[in-house]
């Protein structure tokens, strides 16, 4: 059944509270729960450059946090270990849990991994040579668990990694590039000329490492500032993305068997220039943003060129990935100083989102980039709640980890803050049902400007126009809008004069519409949803889904007559298609009134 293209659902953004609805799927919102759920004991200075990792170090079933803590001017810095106690992160950075951990190291990376293969998470901390007392040495903290109960950590870096692991390390990654089942270590060194180093975990003696730099790492004279890893060309092997103070590199793992074996990145032709050549501190974070099965990457830059996404378009004749640059990102990441990105599916919709740290003075909030990509066309909108992430330096941060912090099944954000650490819990949006909003023409929506995102369950009826009214959008604000439902929609944003200031029409039944409109003038705005074609009938009696209960449906019912549990014509669910079902069908004879629910989400902030 199709409805006339002239059928319009008219929505106007308003400022009156509405009633709550049941939790709506795939919506997205966060609450700052730092004061209730992070308890630190070691004082922090400002200007901390942090890397965050998570894992269950005490095997109690919840996820803990480790933080590597440096300082931009090499002042006070303290690594942190947080134990998750029923969703509260209590710092246990010193004696007796992890002696020496909070000493004044300049730490660049922290990794929770089971290095010795005993089923308990150990910790590696990569330091640089601005560390007092033990310059530049990588430290390995081995998990002690007598009797199967966590006791404490002991630091055994010299014993397990050797004394030659110093140097000015600025980054690293702990992966299994040789695919032998244990965790190895790659360390990016600086300043140039300075050779990156790699260590293989010894298979016959787990937890002890051998340096393989000379045979497995390309010779370089770069200033490496960040390292990440993914299979970038789809051959099942982990490659390395090397962000430098200069040209960035992609090192392929034994591509086309051109190296000496798995984990070899040194062979001729292993290196590929990648992203933007930069003279600043940049990073590359891989993720399959378009859901096509290969890895794209997000490129962020401290200064200079704005952030970008590089879309993987397939491999060339040498089995190397080819990338296409995309720069249509929100100004919240392209117009400010970005730090590292973290990739994760925040709203369980099957698409990976991005959390970008910020380092730009007063206006330095993190940015939650919501993935609104459809049919391979990569797009992201800013979905960062205004009241939880204000435009101040409060939540200035280098890096965030995304994981389920309280066991409720969704992804939270643990931010390694420039001063203190912060936790943002994934919570329900301000949710309303259209029928629970104040009646009238128009209906009134809850406020959306600089508050929680709004989610409305709407009901699209034949020959009905829904009207919603609100106002109070601030000058210079942006508005992000997402619409999901079974119909084919035209989504538009209108100003108070009726002019269209933004639109989305990506076509097809059930295709998500999404847009972000920036630099709005103060006042009232209208979201208009035009239904171009209707989705499937929701009437159970329209068995052939043609929009009418008629002869064809009657024939289907008669053909299923008798004991027939689970058949669509068994309307009363008694396991048989019989007289009661026939009467129900005849009672609904004729055209059906199609009711297709949709979910409208709106976020607006300064």
């Amino acid at each position: 059944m199709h409805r006339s293209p002239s059928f319009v659902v008219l929505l106007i953004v308003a400022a009156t509270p509405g009633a709550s609805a049941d939790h709506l799927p795939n919506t997205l919102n966060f609450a700052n729960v730092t004061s209730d759920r992070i308890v630190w004991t070691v004082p922090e200075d400002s200007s901390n450059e942090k890397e965050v990792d998570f894992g269950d170090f005490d095997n109690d079933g919840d996820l803990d946090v480790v933080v590597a803590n440096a300082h931009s001017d090499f002042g006070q810095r303290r690594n942190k270990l947080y134990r998750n106690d029923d969703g509260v992160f209590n710092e246990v950075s010193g004696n007796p849990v992890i002696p020496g951990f909070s000493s004044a190291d300049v730490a660049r990376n922290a990794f929770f991994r089971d290095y010795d293969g005993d089923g308990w998470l150990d910790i590696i901390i990569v330091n640089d040579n601005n560390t007092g007392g033990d310059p530049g040495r990588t430290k390995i903290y081995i998990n002690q668990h007598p009797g199967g109960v966590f006791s404490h950590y002991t630091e055994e870096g010299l014993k397990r990694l050797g004394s030659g692991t110093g140097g000015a390390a600025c980054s690293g990654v702990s992966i299994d590039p040789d695919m032998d089942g244990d965790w190895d270590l790659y360390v990016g060194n600086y300043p140039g000329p300075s050779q990156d180093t790699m260590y293989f975990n010894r298979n016959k003696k787990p937890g002890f490492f051998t340096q393989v730099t000379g045979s497995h790492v390309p010779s370089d004279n770069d200033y490496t500032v960040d390292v990440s890893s993914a299979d970038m060309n789809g051959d099942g092997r982990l490659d390395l993305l090397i962000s430098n103070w200069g040209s960035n590199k992609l090192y392929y793992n034994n591509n086309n068997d051109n190296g000496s074996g798995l984990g070899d990145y040194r062979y001729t032709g292993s290196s590929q220039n990648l992203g933007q050549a930069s003279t600043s501190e940049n990073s590359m974070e891989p993720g399959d943003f378009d859901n096509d099965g290969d890895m794209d990457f997000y490129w962020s830059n401290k200064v200079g060129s704005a952030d970008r996404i590089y879309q993987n378009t397939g491999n060339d004749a040498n089995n190397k990935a080819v990338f296409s640059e995309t720069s249509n990102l929100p100004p919240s990441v392209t117009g400010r100083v970005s730090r590292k990105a973290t990739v994760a599916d925040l709203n369980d919709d099957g698409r990976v989102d991005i959390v970008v740290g910020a380092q730009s003075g007063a206006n330095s909030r993190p940015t939650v980039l919501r993935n609104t990509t459809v049919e391979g066309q990569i797009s992201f909108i800013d979905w960062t709640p205004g009241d939880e992430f204000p435009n101040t330096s409060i939540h200035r941060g280098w890096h965030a980890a995304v994981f389920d912090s309280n066991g409720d099944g969704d992804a939270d954000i643990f931010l390694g803050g420039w001063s203190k650490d912060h936790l943002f819990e994934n919570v329900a949006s301000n949710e309303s049902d259209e029928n629970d909003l104040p009646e009238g023409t128009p209906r009134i929506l809850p406020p959306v400007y600089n508050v929680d995102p709004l989610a409305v369950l709407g009901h699209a009826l034949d020959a009905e126009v829904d009207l919603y009214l609100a106002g109070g959008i601030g000058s210079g604000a942006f508005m992000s809008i997402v619409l999901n439902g079974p119909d084919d929609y035209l989504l538009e944003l209108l100003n108070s004069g009726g002019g269209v200031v933004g639109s989305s029409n990506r076509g097809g039944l059930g295709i998500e519409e999404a847009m972000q409109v920036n630099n709005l003038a103060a006042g009232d705005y209208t979201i208009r949803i035009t239904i171009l074609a209707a989705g499937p009938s929701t009437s159970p009696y329209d068995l052939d889904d043609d929009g009418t209960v008629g002869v064809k449906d009657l024939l289907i019912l008669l053909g299923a007559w008798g004991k027939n549990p689970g058949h669509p014509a068994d309307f009363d669910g008694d396991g048989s298609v019989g007289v009661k079902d026939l009467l129900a069908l005849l009672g609904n004879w004729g055209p059906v009134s199609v009711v297709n629910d949709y979910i409208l989400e709106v976020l607006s902030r300064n």
Side-chain angles (χ1 to χ4, degrees):
M1 175 180 177
H2 293 278
R3 277 171 262 180
S4 168
S6 63
F7 171 69
V8 171
V9 180
L10 183 63
L11 307 170
I12 306 173
V13 182
T16 299
S20 296
D22 292 336
H23 179 63
L24 298 176
N26 306 134
T27 56
L28 184 60
N29 186 27
F30 290 95
N32 188 342
V33 294
T34 301
S35 60
D36 296 327
R37 293 182 51 200
I38 296 183
V39 180
W40 47 75
T41 59
V42 178
E44 293 189 88
D45 201 347
S46 61
S47 303
N48 291 299
E49 302 170 356
K50 296 178 178 178
E51 292 279 344
V52 186
D53 200 8
F54 60 91
D56 183 9
F57 76 79
D58 51 2
N59 279 1
D60 65 349
D62 52 27
L63 295 173
D64 313 297
V65 170
V66 62
V67 182
N69 192 356
H71 191 293
S72 63
D73 298 315
F74 308 115
Q76 179 179 339
R77 53 269 171 185
R78 309 288 179 185
N79 298 327
K80 291 184 175 291
L81 180 64
Y82 292 100
R83 185 184 60 218
N84 188 339
D85 297 317
D86 295 324
V88 176
F89 290 85
N90 290 303
E91 184 180 356
V92 290
S93 302
N95 294 327
V97 175
I98 187 163
F101 191 70
S102 61
S103 61
D105 288 341
V106 178
R108 297 298 185 175
N109 286 96
F111 305 115
F112 262 140
R113 305 284 191 275
D114 178 11
Y115 288 108
D116 57 4
D118 62 357
W120 295 76
L121 292 179
D122 310 302
I123 299 172
I124 279 185
I125 299 290
V126 174
N127 296 310
D128 73 21
N129 68 355
N130 292 290
T131 298
D134 207 0
R137 183 171 67 81
T138 297
K139 295 185 177 180
I140 300 179
Y141 296 86
I142 298 299
N143 195 316
Q144 308 297 314
H145 45 87
V149 178
F150 173 80
S151 172
H152 65 285
Y153 279 98
T154 60
E155 202 286 298
E156 301 179 6
L158 285 174
K159 173 183 176 182
R160 294 175 179 270
L161 203 55
S163 60
T165 62
C170 192
S171 58
V173 66
S174 188
I175 56 175
D176 184 16
D178 55 357
M179 299 177 68
D180 64 351
D182 51 30
W183 297 101
D184 307 309
L185 178 66
Y186 184 98
V187 178
N189 292 328
Y190 83 103
S194 184
Q195 176 66 48
D196 291 357
T197 53
M198 177 176 270
Y199 306 87
F200 278 178
N201 197 336
R202 292 178 181 171
N203 214 0
K204 295 182 180 180
K205 197 173 184 182
F208 289 80
F209 294 80
T210 300
Q211 186 175 146
V212 295
T213 302
S215 58
H216 287 73
V217 180
S219 299
D220 68 76
N221 60 353
D222 296 320
Y223 181 154
T224 300
V225 294
D226 189 63
V227 182
S228 59
S229 178
D231 177 10
M232 302 303 294
N233 61 347
D235 63 358
R237 306 164 184 180
L238 289 174
D239 309 307
L240 294 171
L241 294 91
I242 310 295
S243 300
N244 292 313
W245 197 293
S247 297
N248 296 324
K249 302 291 185 182
L250 171 53
Y251 291 160
Y252 287 98
N253 187 344
N254 196 37
N255 184 34
N256 286 335
D257 298 320
N258 288 322
S260 63
L262 290 172
D264 185 0
Y265 299 93
R266 187 182 174 87
Y267 60 90
T268 302
S270 67
S271 179
Q272 174 182 347
N273 288 339
L274 204 61
Q276 294 285 320
S278 171
T279 56
S280 59
E281 299 181 15
N282 67 109
S283 67
M284 297 180 287
E285 187 65 23
D288 184 7
F289 303 128
D290 53 5
N291 270 357
D292 64 350
D294 55 29
M295 299 300 291
D296 316 298
F297 68 92
Y298 185 92
W299 182 83
S300 57
N301 196 12
K302 179 182 175 184
V303 286
S305 301
D307 293 12
R308 290 170 169 81
I309 286 177
Y310 287 83
Q311 185 174 14
N312 191 329
T313 60
N315 295 346
D316 62 15
N318 296 315
N319 203 37
K320 293 183 177 181
V322 178
F323 297 93
S324 174
E325 181 182 299
T326 300
S327 58
N328 58 338
L329 291 168
S332 46
V333 291
T334 60
R336 296 184 304 160
V337 175
S338 295
R339 299 306 322 208
K340 291 194 66 172
T342 304
V343 173
D345 183 358
L346 298 173
N347 59 337
D348 198 29
D349 67 350
R351 296 173 293 187
V352 289
D353 311 294
I354 306 172
V355 180
V356 184
Q359 183 204 331
S360 59
N363 187 18
S364 56
R365 64 172 174 87
T367 299
V368 177
L369 292 177
R370 179 171 178 168
N371 192 334
T372 54
T373 299
V374 296
E375 298 182 338
Q377 301 299 311
I378 291 180
S379 66
F380 285 85
I381 58 175
D382 189 329
W383 204 264
T384 318
D387 53 350
E388 305 299 329
F389 297 85
N391 288 339
T392 67
S393 61
I394 294 173
H395 300 135
R396 188 180 182 188
W398 192 271
H399 176 243
V402 176
F403 63 98
D404 183 3
S405 69
N406 56 353
D408 63 355
D410 51 30
D412 309 310
I413 300 172
F414 193 107
L415 176 67
W418 201 243
S419 54
K420 297 178 180 179
D421 301 318
H422 306 275
L423 180 60
F424 301 91
E425 182 180 343
N426 197 326
V427 297
S429 299
N430 185 0
E431 298 178 344
S432 299
D433 188 290
E434 173 190 343
N435 294 328
D436 293 331
L437 295 174
E439 292 187 6
T441 305
R443 290 184 185 268
I444 301 174
L445 291 179
V448 296
Y449 180 62
N450 274 347
V451 293
D452 287 346
L454 167 67
V456 174
L457 178 63
H459 313 287
L461 298 172
D462 277 339
E464 176 181 293
V465 175
D466 291 343
L467 297 173
Y468 304 82
L469 177 66
I473 306 303
S475 177
F478 71 82
M479 190 178 296
S480 294
I481 308 170
V482 176
L483 176 69
N484 277 293
D487 302 314
D488 180 12
Y489 306 95
L490 168 63
L491 174 64
E492 298 173 289
L493 182 66
L494 284 64
N495 59 26
S496 57
V500 177
V501 296
S503 66
S504 173
N505 180 15
R506 301 199 275 191
L509 296 176
I511 300 296
E512 179 183 80
E513 303 296 345
M515 63 180 173
Q516 178 175 336
V517 183
N518 304 306
N519 297 317
L520 296 172
D524 302 344
Y525 284 84
T526 301
I527 301 169
R528 182 166 67 192
I529 302 172
T530 304
I531 299 182
L532 304 177
S537 167
T538 58
S539 171
Y541 309 103
D542 183 13
L543 297 172
D544 62 352
D545 196 29
D546 67 351
T548 300
V549 179
V551 174
K552 293 181 180 179
D553 305 299
L554 176 60
L555 293 175
I556 293 173
L557 182 145
L558 294 175
W561 196 268
K563 188 175 182 180
N564 205 340
H567 192 279
D570 179 18
F571 304 126
D572 60 1
D574 66 354
S576 296
V577 177
V579 174
K580 291 181 181 179
D581 304 304
L582 174 62
L583 293 175
L585 185 143
L586 294 176
N588 288 275
W589 197 267
V592 300
S593 178
V594 177
V595 181
N596 282 333
D597 295 340
Y598 59 81
I599 298 175
L600 172 70
E601 296 179 79
V602 186
L603 179 145
S604 180
R605 65 165 298 165
N606 58 333

